[in-house]
Amino acid sequence: MTTNKSFATSLWDFFCSLKLSIFLLIALAVTSIIGTVIPQGPPPPEYLQTISETKFLVYQKLGFFDMYHSWWFIALLYLLTLNLIACSIKRLPRVWKIISEPTLVMDSGLERSLTCTRQFKMAGDAATNRDRMVAFLKAEFTEPVVTETDGEFHLFAQKGAYSRFGVYVVHSSIIIIFIGAILGSLFGYKAFVSIVEGTGTSTAYNTRTEQPIDLGFTIKCEDFSVSYYDTGAPKEFKSILTIIDNGKPVIERRPTIVNSPLSYKGITFYQSSYGPAGDPIFYLSVRKRAGGEPVKITARQGERVSLPTGGFVRVMDYAPEVRSAMPQFSGPAARLEIVPPAGAPQYALVLKDYPDFDAQRGGDLIFAYEGVDEKQYTGLQVAKDPGVLVVWTGCTLMVVGIFIAFFLSHRRIWIRVSKGEVTIGGTANRNQPAFQLRFDALADKLKQQ
Amino acid sequence: MSSSLLFNITTFAYLISMVVFFAFLASKNKAVGLAGSLTAFAGFAIQTVAILLRWKESYDMGRGHAPLSNLYESVVFFAWTIVLIFGILDIKYKYRVIGAFVVPFALLGMAWAQLGLDSGIQPLVPALQSNWLLYHVITCFLGYAAFAVACGISIMYLIKVRQEESEGTSPAGGIIATFPSSKILDDLNYKAIMVGFPLLTIGIITGAAWANYAWGTYWSWDPKETWSLIVWFVYAAFLHARITRGWVGKKAAVLSIVGFASTIFCYLGVNLFLSGLHSYGGGG
Ligand code: HEM
């Protein structure tokens, strides 16, 4: 029986020990490195070629390709949680006792253990001096508790006692964050939708499992556009979104850009990607160098369109912004292949913002680019995470707790009033040098009483 | 007056400050120490103006954004925060010698930025167009700077302890004698980390808040995120090690140096050796 009990006790001590905490924190730090070196997720074939087969099998067995969800990493996090809880259960009652049942009397043993003490002669009888000291502490520090023993009076006053709970606020915040993360993984999802301009959908696809998810309402993309800086770098990706719930539009034409998502009923949509949907339609015009009215031409990409003078024209490719290739120009451009009835094909560059650009080519026909009608799709990330609020609560508590733990302290002052003599002693659980200064100032004031 | 000229003057001021601090180590002359601090503060003031000026210049170019968006700007800001934290410690605790071990970090940053990095003002890519960038980068870098200062102090500590241990054999004195006592250095190390840890915590949280706001996931185990968590674990271990008996002093100093090494890896190494979402370093 005794061995059994001592086993339980030593197990308990093991879970309460700070050595275990330090070990776990360092173990988490070191093992976390693995996942930053080995690519996470299904390993790409290029990567597999760089490692041997046995290495691959070992990595796979140990869950290195999804290590932050591997059994052993999760086990470390559980151990950390257990350690935190056990440590708190062991220490909290003691802290509570220090605060709620303070040592009211400074005996000689306590006096010797204090770093700050001073003694003064004080005329007058003990009861008068007691009243003076009570008034003094009340004015300079805080209201004291008075105890009388053997004709001596003992005053005790404390401030910031609750700062001792700061570390426990920090530690519980870690557990709260874990709870929020678990809530999110149980009841939330990450998904994806692609919507062609002018259409809507009510189905998203789970990013990991690719299973369809019914959103419960329809999200419609009215328009998608990209704008550019003068350097040609993209400036903004913008989707104009409308949400239709129960047949009624509830959010209309809301612009959604990167860093400004759209939320409805706990589901949030993030601008994430875009691309062409179907063939673009180009609008060109052509006129004869000799003179005459220009003729409009409509062409699909790659389509050969006959020209009024015979032969045909074809749009080869196009760009929404030429600046990066041709720094002295800007705006959209297209490249054309012109095949005359006889002779070799010619190539022309047409710029939307410079309608006469093609004249310098010297051909008989002068082309101009009037624009493109291009349907795009917008790709939106979809997220639902009911645990997020819990996580933010935990984070706020953590910051508040750290500030309490680091920058506030529990300060205690004792005064003993005996015949013709007053002794003051004090201590703080943190930042002793700063307390020493405050204590010295207090003692100097007392001396002048 | 352009910001790049002011940055050059700043670099020069930190160089002079470092040399003066070394002279202070050698001479132990208080006036020299004061000169070292004042030069560093003058450099700091000029750098502050330069950063604000660069901010304005970006608006003049029509690309307005806070100067915290690429590797050059972040290294400059890092140097600025290091001198800021050093200044606070210097004014509050008056241990000038620390400057000799901390100002070189700031100088190294400025010299690298001015000589080796592209200082062009680029427009912000859509992913970075958010006020969260400001909160996130400022808190992270203030935290990093406090850890840099703690690392400098820890190096001093290890040197000092070696000298104290061999006190019997070698004549006490020399430059090392001007260091604060090992007990004070140990305490200053702890104080600097006590400033850095909350800042790093807020930096990680604002980063998570931003990630959640911008793409709906507060944590995705991206290498940069993971490394910032690793740094956080190391300093959490440091804080707990102090409460356990036997872990003050040398072990704490070593842990503080390891912590700063992982901080630097988190800041630069991740971009150089690993791939991920964070864009700093791409422009280097
Ligand atoms: C393995 C789990 C952990 C255990 C068992 C643990 C336990 C403890 C204990 C017993 C203390 C001392 C409390 C006192 O002074 O009475 C403490 C302090 C503290 N803990 Fe933890 N802790 C753990 C993890 C963490 C983590 C992950 C953090 C991260 C924020 C943290 C932050 C703190 C802080 C800031 C202090 C105050 C340190 C100081 O006074 O210098 N703890 N912890």
Side-chain angles (χ1 to χ4, degrees):
Chain A
M1 211 51 212
T2 48
T3 54
N4 215 341
K5 191 171 171 206
S6 74
F7 174 71
T9 319
S10 53
L11 192 68
W12 175 245
D13 286 344
F14 170 74
F15 278 114
C16 289
S17 87
L18 262 174
K19 288 219 173 68
L20 177 65
S21 324
I22 297 168
F23 167 77
L24 286 173
L25 288 169
I26 292 182
L28 282 168
V30 172
T31 55
S32 290
I33 298 174
I34 299 171
T36 68
V37 178
I38 295 177
Q40 298 293 289
E46 310 88 76
Y47 177 73
L48 290 183
Q49 269 163 28
T50 64
I51 60 170
S52 70
E53 193 164 337
T54 39
K55 231 177 178 175
F56 171 73
L57 288 175
V58 170
Y59 284 7
Q60 200 173 39
K61 258 256 143 36
L62 292 173
F64 280 3
F65 297 115
D66 188 15
M67 74 143 274
Y68 303 107
H69 302 103
S70 68
W71 63 269
W72 54 267
F73 193 76
I74 301 281
L76 281 178
L77 292 178
Y78 272 115
L79 265 178
L80 185 90
T81 311
L82 267 178
N83 189 200
L84 267 174
I85 295 175
C87 225
S88 302
I89 291 177
K90 186 168 168 183
R91 287 173 183 244
L92 260 178
R94 279 194 233 158
V95 174
W96 182 247
K97 209 167 161 197
I98 291 177
I99 296 172
S100 61
E101 298 169 29
T103 315
L104 296 173
V105 173
M106 176 172 58
D107 55 21
S108 56
L110 175 60
E111 188 183 338
R112 257 177 280 124
S113 75
L114 298 175
T115 39
C116 306
T117 52
R118 291 264 205 110
Q119 219 162 47
F120 307 101
K121 294 266 169 279
M122 195 171 280
D125 68 289
T128 325
N129 285 346
R130 172 200 63 194
D131 293 343
R132 280 169 68 190
M133 288 304 103
V134 168
F136 172 76
L137 273 184
K138 206 169 158 185
E140 300 293 334
F141 190 64
T142 186
E143 172 115 46
V145 182
V146 183
T147 320
E148 183 180 358
T149 54
D150 314 329
E152 288 183 331
F153 294 102
H154 298 270
L155 280 59
F156 169 76
Q158 62 177 350
K159 264 177 137 172
Y162 291 97
S163 71
R164 285 189 186 260
F165 288 116
V167 290
Y168 299 97
V169 174
V170 179
H171 292 149
S172 32
S173 75
I174 295 169
I175 296 173
I176 292 172
I177 292 171
F178 284 166
I179 292 174
I182 292 171
L183 282 179
S185 70
L186 289 180
F187 304 111
Y189 56 75
K190 304 272 176 282
F192 197 82
V193 285
S194 301
I195 315 173
V196 177
E197 284 174 299
T199 70
T201 179
S202 57
T203 310
Y205 292 88
N206 190 303
T207 315
R208 254 187 323 138
T209 63
E210 296 181 357
Q211 292 299 309
I213 296 169
D214 181 20
L215 295 170
F217 52 83
T218 299
I219 176 159
K220 189 175 170 209
C221 175
E222 309 278 1
D223 185 38
F224 175 82
S225 60
V226 185
S227 61
Y228 297 87
Y229 288 105
D230 54 9
T231 59
K235 181 177 186 177
E236 189 176 84
F237 305 109
K238 181 162 71 183
S239 299
I240 307 290
L241 301 177
T242 292
I243 286 185
I244 299 157
D245 197 358
N246 270 328
K248 278 195 289 285
V250 283
I251 295 178
E252 276 186 90
R253 301 192 66 86
R254 156 81 148 73
T256 302
I257 60 173
V258 179
N259 272 312
S260 176
L262 165 67
S263 276
Y264 182 66
K265 285 196 168 167
I267 301 176
T268 310
F269 298 88
Y270 303 84
Q271 179 64 52
S272 153
S273 62
Y274 70 98
D279 283 343
I281 298 169
F282 300 95
Y283 300 102
L284 307 170
S285 72
V286 58
R287 64 185 157 93
K288 293 195 183 105
R289 185 175 288 277
E293 280 300 298
V295 178
K296 296 213 178 292
I297 298 175
T298 305
R300 297 188 169 278
Q301 184 161 29
E303 185 191 7
R304 295 170 157 208
V305 180
S306 305
L307 290 168
T309 52
F312 55 84
V313 64
R314 184 169 75 92
V315 177
M316 297 164 66
D317 58 14
Y318 71 110
E321 176 56 65
V322 286
R323 186 179 284 268
S324 52
M326 301 167 68
Q328 61 275 49
F329 295 100
S330 66
R335 223 143 47 95
L336 310 178
E337 182 190 38
I338 302 145
V339 183
Q346 295 179 0
Y347 298 93
L349 183 72
V350 283
L351 299 171
K352 184 167 176 231
D353 297 346
Y354 306 86
D356 295 327
F357 184 77
D358 190 41
Q360 69 188 30
R361 182 169 52 94
D364 295 336
L365 295 175
I366 299 171
F367 289 85
Y369 183 37
E370 306 203 320
V372 59
D373 197 355
E374 184 184 31
K375 275 230 174 342
Q376 314 245 44
Y377 75 84
T378 182
L380 304 175
Q381 207 128 292
V382 186
K384 181 177 164 183
D385 190 341
V388 152
L389 220 64
V390 179
V391 171
W392 296 148
T393 309
C395 289
T396 312
L397 280 178
M398 175 176 288
V399 173
V400 171
I402 289 178
F403 274 88
I404 295 175
F406 282 174
F407 302 115
L408 301 183
S409 66
H410 180 200
R411 288 146 291 152
R412 290 177 287 176
I413 302 239
W414 290 267
I415 294 183
R416 184 172 59 224
V417 182
S418 44
K419 205 154 167 275
E421 196 178 66
V422 169
T423 312
I424 180 168
T427 182
N429 70 329
R430 266 191 173 273
N431 206 355
Q432 192 71 29
F435 178 75
Q436 177 99 43
L437 291 177
R438 297 258 326 255
F439 181 86
D440 288 344
L442 196 72
D444 289 343
K445 243 188 191 146
L446 182 71
K447 199 173 173 184
Q448 284 152 24
Q449 289 271 320
Chain B
M1 186 74 66
S2 74
S3 64
S4 68
L5 174 66
L6 291 181
F7 282 129
N8 281 332
I9 299 176
T10 305
T11 312
F12 196 60
Y14 291 161
L15 175 68
I16 295 181
S17 167
M18 182 181 81
V19 172
V20 173
F21 272 126
F22 287 163
F24 174 49
L25 282 184
S27 70
K28 301 182 209 165
N29 182 332
K30 280 227 165 74
V32 178
L34 180 66
S37 284
L38 290 180
T39 323
F41 297 160
F44 178 77
I46 295 167
Q47 192 179 6
T48 310
V49 174
I51 289 174
L52 293 174
L53 196 59
R54 186 180 167 93
W55 200 335
K56 182 183 168 293
E57 283 165 5
S58 78
Y59 274 92
D60 294 343
M61 292 173 73
R63 300 169 181 181
H65 59 79
L68 298 169
S69 69
N70 62 16
L71 186 61
Y72 171 83
E73 291 174 344
S74 77
V75 171
V76 166
F77 185 67
F78 189 26
W80 185 84
T81 53
I82 289 174
V83 181
L84 175 69
I85 300 271
F86 160 68
I88 292 171
L89 280 181
D90 184 17
I91 290 170
K92 191 141 189 250
Y93 299 110
K94 311 233 161 28
Y95 295 117
R96 288 263 135 75
V97 246
I98 296 167
F101 290 81
V102 172
V103 171
F105 285 122
L107 173 66
L108 202 68
M110 284 309 289
W112 182 38
Q114 292 303 92
L115 298 175
L117 294 176
D118 173 12
S119 67
I121 296 177
Q122 298 302 330
L124 269 190
V125 298
L128 294 182
Q129 292 166 11
S130 167
N131 279 339
W132 284 107
L133 173 70
L134 215 62
Y135 312 140
H136 175 55
V137 173
I138 289 179
T139 46
C140 280
F141 276 88
L142 283 172
Y144 291 178
F147 296 148
V149 171
C151 175
I153 294 172
S154 295
I155 294 171
M156 288 174 77
Y157 177 90
L158 291 179
I159 296 172
K160 181 78 178 180
V161 168
R162 254 184 65 192
Q163 189 240 11
E164 279 176 1
E165 276 169 0
S166 60
E167 199 89 287
T169 55
S170 72
I175 289 167
I176 301 165
T178 62
F179 289 10
S181 75
S182 63
K183 192 158 169 286
I184 287 171
L185 287 172
D186 185 47
D187 192 50
L188 278 177
N189 184 21
Y190 179 52
K191 288 213 163 80
I193 288 171
M194 247 169 45
V195 170
F197 191 73
L199 287 165
L200 177 67
T201 307
I202 299 175
I204 294 176
I205 293 174
T206 50
W210 183 15
N212 187 59
Y213 181 67
W215 55 78
T217 328
Y218 53 84
W219 198 262
S220 47
W221 295 103
D222 149 85
K224 193 92 167 182
E225 283 174 355
T226 308
W227 269 95
S228 66
L229 193 67
I230 291 169
V231 172
W232 193 74
F233 282 142
V234 172
Y235 286 106
F238 172 93
L239 291 172
H240 290 87
R242 282 196 72 91
I243 318 169
T244 344
R245 255 187 303 273
W247 269 74
V248 282
K250 253 191 213 171
K251 282 182 188 164
V254 169
L255 213 47
S256 168
I257 294 170
V258 169
F260 186 62
S262 35
T263 305
I264 288 297
F265 191 83
C266 177
Y267 174 30
L268 300 170
V270 170
N271 301 96
L272 298 175
F273 303 113
L274 311 169
S275 61
L277 301 165
H278 283 70
S279 56
Y280 284 177

